[in-house]
Amino acid sequence: MTTSAPDGFQHLFAKVDELESHFINRLRRAIRIPSISAYSESREKCFEMAQMLQEEMTLLGIQVQLKDIGYEKHTGLKLPPIVLGRYGQDPKKPTILVYCHYDVQPAEKSDGWSTDPWEMTTEDDGRLCGRGTSDDKGPLLCWLNAIEAFQAAGMDVPVNLLFLFEGMEENGSTGLRAALEEEASQFLADVDAICISDLVWAGNTYPSIAQGLRGVLFYVLDVTGAEKDAHSGSFGGVLSEPMSDLASVMSSMVDSKGRILIPGIYDTVRPVTDEEKDQWEKLGLSEGDLVDSINGRSLHSDLIEGLVHRWRKPSLSLHRLENAAPGAGATTSIPAKVRGKFSIRTVPDMDSAEVDKLVQQHINTQFRSLGSKNSLQINCVHQSDWFFEDSSHWSYQAAINATRNVWDHEPGLSCEGGSIPIALDLKQVLKKNVLLLPIGRAGDGAHSINEKLDKIN
Amino acid sequence: MTTSAPDGFQHLFAKVDELESHFINRLRRAIRIPSISAYSESREKCFEMAQMLQEEMTLLGIQVQLKDIGYEKHTGLKLPPIVLGRYGQDPKKPTILVYCHYDVQPAEKSDGWSTDPWEMTTEDDGRLCGRGTSDDKGPLLCWLNAIEAFQAAGMDVPVNLLFLFEGMEENGSTGLRAALEEEASQFLADVDAICISDLVWAGNTYPSIAQGLRGVLFYVLDVTGAEKDAHSGSFGGVLSEPMSDLASVMSSMVDSKGRILIPGIYDTVRPVTDEEKDQWEKLGLSEGDLVDSINGRSLHSDLIEGLVHRWRKPSLSLHRLENAAPGAGATTSIPAKVRGKFSIRTVPDMDSAEVDKLVQQHINTQFRSLGSKNSLQINCVHQSDWFFEDSSHWSYQAAINATRNVWDHEPGLSCEGGSIPIALDLKQVLKKNVLLLPIGRAGDGAHSINEKLDKIN
């Protein structure tokens, strides 16, 4: 690997190259442990994975403790521990808290994988294929690789590192928030900045660093008519039908171009500046990149407008319109009770409470205008705020410089369309700058089949 | 039982009263046979039921044959026979073909029945409770009861009777149409008029006779976007979302008052005359009656307008809006492919082909107006025409007179909102007047729990 990085780093990079097969073997061993947090029967594998991390980290001189966070309420199962680590405690250096997770999504060869998801393969084109390579065992172990390379090069790591690796990320991060609050004034007391490595580049070609996440409000909408489903022969036309009401109300909220039709919803949306759009040009994305991962059709806009939609505009998606009556039966029935599910993604500077008010107002107005005899209930069942970080902070600037040095390309500042709840939690509890530093690429297929990480990443 | 019927009939009615417990016991024996045609494992019970009918009918001097109609294609199971019977062959009398069915809907006590559905109970208020009491073993056996009462009274049955009892009605009437066509010039060659006893009164208080059925067109609507479901965080707002398109198109077809919004759909609907509305006043219905059976809210119109909606106006019901992608997953996903199901009930004098044209036109126009990048496919998967019979025919007039004599109340001429496919089949194959003669009442709960028939019916 040759780059235009400062001279001292060439030596470090050479060590990385020397250690390559060692790093790959360590990742292979990690991938072999199917630490699926969502399945009770594989919960013990999460403990095995925590154990492996403890051993590997200890070998590198990291002080490790496995923090017991108790039991999972609904299963009674023990929660996988949070792996806490400390490397260096020099008061002259800044202290960076690194967050990753060591649990993974489920995977089975029969889901459509080309190879065994739990036996990592190294492909000729540099892909390392297996469940967890990109999300998030690969990025996690990169931090250990970095320390090992510094040690091999005889160089001093320029920061103190704290590690917080959790084992329940893919299952709701149960117990994490409480643990954070507990450790805020203990193990995490001297954190100066936070770095999350649980995301990917915005594209597949050039590196990027993320500074924003969208928030989300998730709604459940119930429309109830009779107590029983009705036969459409006997009752078609006679009653206000809940499904018609629901389809009407839900389709009144968004159009096919993704424009939300709820009055006032865009009022507080922060405009995207030309500078930001310039940043996005650096990402080297094509219009196809935005929809490739789902084999989608073309965007309903150009590339930059597509990015504005993904990162900086609110969106409203209709997820389900379901027959909600118990024992829902024949497809010729008129469902007596139906349930709609939709979510709104929020962006700076929207206020969740204000959005909720506008949504409720709009739905109630629309429903009243139908003149229906049915009843309607709106529930906002989940809510988390958007996140947008100050990229002029030294931590972001350091990450931008380091990325430029390694990749010989100025990284663009991107956002994520989705949420990373831990980012908000860390921000709220520790009140420090949170850097979103991707390791893998957009097309890695986290949560999907044939997940991979490119060796070079 | 005393009525204002002609004197000779008082003697007949007395015999009916005398034979009451015998009739009830026969029905109880029939109810004990769970002849559920929809379940493979209870198919043999349909044969047992056919056997019982053959025995009972033979005892009454009816010539019976069990017509073998072959095998069911997808299960390879033998189809229950059609029970054909002949009682009387006097060329001076008219010959009436009676259609009923001896199979029943599934039922389990745990569905919410107050009593064992297969052990008929006789309640103090006269209800006979059990699966099949009203649909359709009770009505079927009423015809045997009638012959038996005539015999006991030493009276001559004034018509020749042909019986056609099928055992697959609740499972699509497989094999019936072919059998009808085969027997049209054989066993059924001398039919003068047809009588179907597989329906109920329009209400719960007064008897009625039905002369019309609505037709139906059932549609499946597919909207396809990407190949895979997309995460709403990453893709919300970026793509044309199939569910939004579907909800928008489907809600554009009907309003909450049951009015179909497809241009031209009402053009050929036959107006309801004042005479017809007068008939309906005789039915003794209340607004509550129309929605009681589903514990529904009040109608969106008055009673007569409600009946117009049920019987003589087309209706459009939205049944389902489903995620149609294989392995449809998280509720926060944007479904890549969605499927809508809806049906239109048709009435005189709508033409099904013309309706289909209007529906396709409307949907295509609506979809185009969305400017969506997704694709849409419309399939009309089932179609059957409406049915409306001439009630001035002697068969209807005889039924009206007989009903008046028995119940001391002028029966109203009603319709059914649903379809009875056999009515159309019989009409098309035998080309004779088809009388729709109900035995039970609207609230009997056919297909539902706690099905009953009132003893007096």
Side-chain angles (χ1 to χ4, degrees), chain A residues 161-197:
Chain A
L161 287 168
L162 290 183
F163 297 107
L164 190 160
F165 300 149
E166 72 159 320
M168 282 292 280
E169 197 272 345
E170 304 290 7
N171 192 8
S173 288
T174 314
L176 181 66
R177 174 83 188 212
L180 272 184
E181 284 166 359
E182 221 173 271
E183 298 292 345
S185 59
Q186 310 285 325
F187 187 82
L188 305 172
D190 55 348
V191 169
D192 294 309
I194 299 156
C195 174
I196 292 179
S197 283

Side-chain angles (χ1 to χ4, degrees), chain B residues 80-344:
Chain B
I82 291 176
V83 179
L84 296 173
R86 173 181 291 278
Y87 188 73
Q89 201 158 8
D90 183 342
K92 292 188 296 291
K93 294 179 185 170
T95 299
I96 309 292
L97 170 65
V98 174
Y99 166 89
C100 295
H101 65 90
Y102 62 83
D103 61 322
V104 292
Q105 282 278 318
E108 286 189 37
K109 179 88 164 64
S110 60
D111 294 341
W113 287 72
S114 308
T115 56
D116 180 352
W118 309 110
E119 190 54 55
M120 189 177 87
T121 61
T122 53
E123 308 295 330
D124 288 343
D125 57 5
R127 282 180 301 130
L128 306 172
C129 294
R131 171 57 85 224
T133 47
S134 177
D135 183 18
D136 185 32
K137 290 177 178 176
L140 185 157
L141 292 179
C142 280
W143 288 92
L144 307 196
N145 298 348
I147 291 174
E148 198 158 2
F150 268 98
Q151 291 175 349
M155 292 167 69
D156 190 34
V157 177
V159 294
N160 302 316
L161 288 167
L162 290 182
F163 296 107
L164 189 159
F165 300 149
E166 72 157 322
M168 282 291 280
E169 198 273 344
E170 305 291 6
N171 192 7
S173 289
T174 315
L176 181 66
R177 173 83 188 212
L180 272 185
E181 284 166 359
E182 223 173 86
E183 297 293 344
S185 58
Q186 308 285 327
F187 187 82
L188 304 173
D190 55 348
V191 170
D192 293 310
I194 299 156
C195 174
I196 292 179
S197 283
D198 179 23
L199 66 166
V200 291
W201 294 353
N204 285 310
T205 315
Y206 297 118
S208 59
I209 291 171
Q211 66 173 147
L213 304 167
R214 291 201 287 188
V216 64
L217 290 95
F218 193 94
Y219 286 90
V220 172
L221 203 58
D222 286 327
V223 182
T224 309
E227 274 182 33
K228 303 182 200 171
D229 285 3
H231 189 275
S232 59
S234 306
F235 291 97
V238 175
L239 303 164
S240 298
E241 301 190 8
M243 190 63 99
S244 310
D245 293 347
L246 185 67
S248 179
V249 168
M250 285 183 76
S251 68
S252 78
M253 296 192 291
V254 62
D255 72 16
S256 291
K257 302 285 172 66
R259 186 164 177 85
I260 304 179
L261 307 174
I262 297 170
I265 201 100
Y266 289 101
D267 288 357
T268 55
V269 173
R270 192 191 299 178
V272 178
T273 64
D274 289 343
E275 271 178 2
E276 286 177 308
K277 289 186 183 174
D278 287 348
Q279 280 286 339
W280 299 350
E281 298 282 3
K282 292 183 200 165
L283 300 172
L285 290 171
S286 72
E287 290 177 24
D289 286 341
L290 262 65
V291 288
D292 266 1
S293 68
I294 53 165
N295 297 338
R297 287 154 206 273
S298 43
L299 297 173
H300 56 55
S301 58
D302 67 15
L303 170 70
I304 294 299
E305 202 50 35
L307 292 176
V308 171
H309 270 289
R310 173 175 289 183
W311 293 338
R312 296 294 296 282
K313 270 196 183 173
S315 65
L316 193 156
S317 296
L318 309 183
H319 305 301
R320 295 285 188 277
L321 288 90
E322 302 170 333
N323 186 344
T331 50
T332 51
S333 68
I334 299 169
K337 180 174 181 174
V338 293
R339 172 165 290 173
K341 294 176 180 169
F342 68 95
S343 65
I344 298 179

Side-chain angles (χ1 to χ4, degrees), chain A residues 94-201:
Chain A
T95 300
I96 310 290
L97 169 65
V98 174
Y99 166 89
C100 295
H101 64 91
Y102 61 83
D103 61 322
V104 291
Q105 282 278 316
E108 286 188 38
K109 178 90 163 61
S110 61
D111 294 342
W113 287 71
S114 308
T115 56
D116 179 352
W118 309 110
E119 191 51 58
M120 190 179 87
T121 60
T122 52
E123 308 294 330
D124 288 344
D125 57 5
R127 283 180 300 131
L128 306 172
C129 294
R131 171 58 83 224
T133 48
S134 176
D135 182 18
D136 186 34
K137 290 176 178 176
L140 185 156
L141 292 179
C142 279
W143 287 93
L144 306 197
N145 298 349
I147 290 174
E148 198 158 2
F150 267 98
Q151 292 176 347
M155 292 167 69
D156 190 34
V157 177
V159 293
N160 301 316
L161 287 168
L162 290 183
F163 297 107
L164 190 160
F165 300 149
E166 72 159 320
M168 282 292 280
E169 197 272 345
E170 304 290 7
N171 192 8
S173 288
T174 314
L176 181 66
R177 174 83 188 212
L180 272 184
E181 284 166 359
E182 221 173 271
E183 298 292 345
S185 59
Q186 310 285 325
F187 187 82
L188 305 172
D190 55 348
V191 169
D192 294 309
I194 299 156
C195 174
I196 292 179
S197 283
D198 179 24
L199 66 165
V200 291
W201 293 354

Side-chain angles (χ1 to χ4, degrees), chain A residues 214 216 218 224-241 243-245 247-251 254-258 290-301 306-307 309-310 313-323 328-335 341 343 345 370-375 416-419 448-449, chain B residues 214 216 218 224-241 243-245 247-251 254-258 290-301 306-307 309-310 313-323 328-335 341 343 345 370-375 416-419 448-449:
Chain A
R214 291 201 287 187
V216 66
F218 193 95
T224 309
E227 273 183 32
K228 302 183 200 171
D229 285 4
H231 189 275
S232 59
S234 306
F235 291 96
V238 176
L239 302 164
S240 297
E241 302 190 8
M243 190 62 100
S244 310
D245 293 348
S248 179
V249 168
M250 286 184 75
S251 67
V254 62
D255 71 15
S256 291
K257 301 284 172 69
L290 261 64
V291 287
D292 266 1
S293 68
I294 53 165
N295 297 336
R297 287 154 206 273
S298 43
L299 297 173
H300 57 56
S301 59
L307 292 176
H309 269 289
R310 172 173 290 182
K313 270 196 183 173
S315 65
L316 192 156
S317 296
L318 308 184
H319 304 301
R320 295 286 188 277
L321 289 91
E322 300 170 335
N323 186 343
T331 50
T332 51
S333 68
I334 299 169
K341 293 176 181 170
S343 64
R345 299 281 167 173
L370 300 178
S372 170
K373 295 272 186 175
N374 299 319
S375 68
E416 287 275 314
S419 316
S448 184
I449 59 168
Chain B
R214 291 201 287 188
V216 64
F218 193 94
T224 309
E227 274 182 33
K228 303 182 200 171
D229 285 3
H231 189 275
S232 59
S234 306
F235 291 97
V238 175
L239 303 164
S240 298
E241 301 190 8
M243 190 63 99
S244 310
D245 293 347
S248 179
V249 168
M250 285 183 76
S251 68
V254 62
D255 72 16
S256 291
K257 302 285 172 66
L290 262 65
V291 288
D292 266 1
S293 68
I294 53 165
N295 297 338
R297 287 154 206 273
S298 43
L299 297 173
H300 56 55
S301 58
L307 292 176
H309 270 289
R310 173 175 289 183
K313 270 196 183 173
S315 65
L316 193 156
S317 296
L318 309 183
H319 305 301
R320 295 285 188 277
L321 288 90
E322 302 170 333
N323 186 344
T331 50
T332 51
S333 68
I334 299 169
K341 294 176 180 169
S343 65
R345 299 281 166 173
L370 299 177
S372 170
K373 295 271 187 176
N374 299 319
S375 68
E416 287 273 314
S419 316
S448 184
I449 59 168

